[in-house]
Amino acid sequence: MTALIIEDEIPAGKRLEKLLLENGFVVLTQLHSVKSALLWFKENSMPDYIFMDIELADGKCFELFEKIKIESKVIFTTAYDEYALKAFEYNAIDYLLKPIDERKLKKMLSKVDTFKEGFLADLELVKNSLSNTFKKSFLIATSKGLKKITTGEIVGFVSENNATYLITDKNFKAPVNSSLEKLEMELDGKQFFRINRKCIINKQFISEINYQNEVVINSLFDISLKISRLKIKPFKEWLGR
């Protein structure tokens, strides 16, 4: 998931970025004013989420909505609750008071995930009915040139350090130019499943689920991966198909 932070208080912006990175987001950048945000949107595509302070250095963030069409999911962050009703006029999905509480942030993200679960399942059915073509391989740059890796060789994909990596059954790890959200749409849903915010796994390498609700991977390396609480039920249904 990609996120843009619009915040004129540098310490607050850095804290929010840290929390988002810990929860699997790729933070594209931090902006500090209405003017800089308008310039950024002219040259960049919309992120998945925008975390937006209301009182910025040169005005209120609501000016952005009057000048551009914002298609991202918007979460307003502010030290004051007086703008709450007005914020929801702009289709905000949540409103977080500063200083942002990590528990409230996670609760908000869980709420979004719950909504997405049903949406993605329906979208997967539509996608499968329209086309049976999924991504079958990836071209990875190495010191010797381009290396083709098929999806059958890939144990899973992980998001870490603001990047996405594939891991093969030979314990080869390489970056890929796709977010986990995009990979969810490109990969065969019968073969791959996103078990948490930071990991997609390949069914053929799963050996068991332990009592801690961790996926045990059967490969050249011993690894157990935690399943997100919200995904345990759909994951077990998927694994049993």
Side-chain angles (χ1 to χ4, degrees), residues 38-74:
L38 287 172
L39 291 173
W40 190 89
F41 283 120
K42 285 182 179 181
E43 300 177 356
N44 297 275
S45 57
M46 289 284 167
D48 297 320
Y49 292 83
I50 301 174
F51 290 81
M52 185 183 297
D53 190 8
I54 292 178
E55 295 275 5
L56 297 173
D58 57 350
K60 292 182 176 60
C61 70
F62 301 127
E63 296 177 39
L64 293 171
F65 294 87
E66 298 168 2
K67 297 179 180 180
I68 57 176
K69 182 179 180 182
I70 294 181
E71 300 173 342
S72 309
K73 299 179 183 69
V74 176

Side-chain angles (χ1 to χ4, degrees), residues 55-229:
E55 295 275 5
L56 297 173
D58 57 350
K60 292 182 176 60
C61 70
F62 301 127
E63 296 177 39
L64 293 171
F65 294 87
E66 298 168 2
K67 297 179 180 180
I68 57 176
K69 182 179 180 182
I70 294 181
E71 300 173 342
S72 309
K73 299 179 183 69
V74 176
I75 299 94
F76 287 104
T77 61
T78 181
Y80 310 99
D81 60 5
E82 61 191 274
Y83 296 112
L85 290 178
K86 185 173 180 62
F88 285 106
E89 292 177 9
Y90 293 93
N91 297 322
I93 64 171
D94 216 324
Y95 185 100
L96 298 175
L97 288 175
K98 294 190 292 186
I100 293 174
D101 186 291
E102 184 174 6
R103 292 170 300 174
K104 291 183 179 179
L105 175 64
K106 288 185 176 181
K107 184 177 179 181
M108 182 274 294
L109 296 175
S110 296
K111 181 172 64 177
V112 174
D113 271 355
T114 301
F115 171 79
K116 281 173 57 181
E117 196 67 59
F119 172 76
L120 289 175
D122 291 342
L123 191 58
E124 186 69 27
L125 289 174
V126 172
K127 182 179 70 173
N128 288 345
S129 66
L130 293 175
S131 172
N132 195 31
T133 58
F134 301 100
K135 197 167 183 66
K136 301 295 184 183
S137 62
F138 292 80
L139 285 177
I140 302 299
T142 70
S143 58
K144 298 180 180 179
L146 293 177
K147 177 181 177 65
K148 182 179 179 181
I149 298 176
T150 66
T151 53
E153 302 173 74
I154 298 173
V155 175
F157 299 84
V158 295
S159 174
E160 56 185 39
N161 300 322
N162 294 335
T164 305
Y165 299 86
L166 63 78
I167 303 174
T168 73
D169 55 354
K170 299 295 190 295
N171 205 7
F172 173 73
K173 183 177 181 180
V176 293
N177 189 28
S178 292
S179 66
L180 291 185
E181 286 71 29
K182 185 178 180 182
L183 288 170
E184 280 186 283
M185 305 307 299
E186 295 177 338
L187 297 168
D188 187 348
K190 295 179 180 179
Q191 183 180 8
F192 290 91
F193 189 95
R194 186 173 182 178
I195 61 169
N196 56 44
R197 296 186 197 285
K198 296 186 177 183
C199 184
I200 294 175
I201 56 173
N202 187 340
K203 179 185 284 188
Q204 74 184 64
F205 294 103
I206 298 173
S207 60
E208 64 178 276
I209 307 173
N210 63 27
Y211 289 116
Q212 287 75 46
N213 285 318
E214 295 175 329
V215 176
V216 179
I217 299 297
N218 177 24
S219 64
L220 294 181
F221 45 95
D222 182 27
I223 186 170
S224 298
L225 301 167
K226 189 72 175 178
I227 307 169
S228 169
R229 180 177 57 82

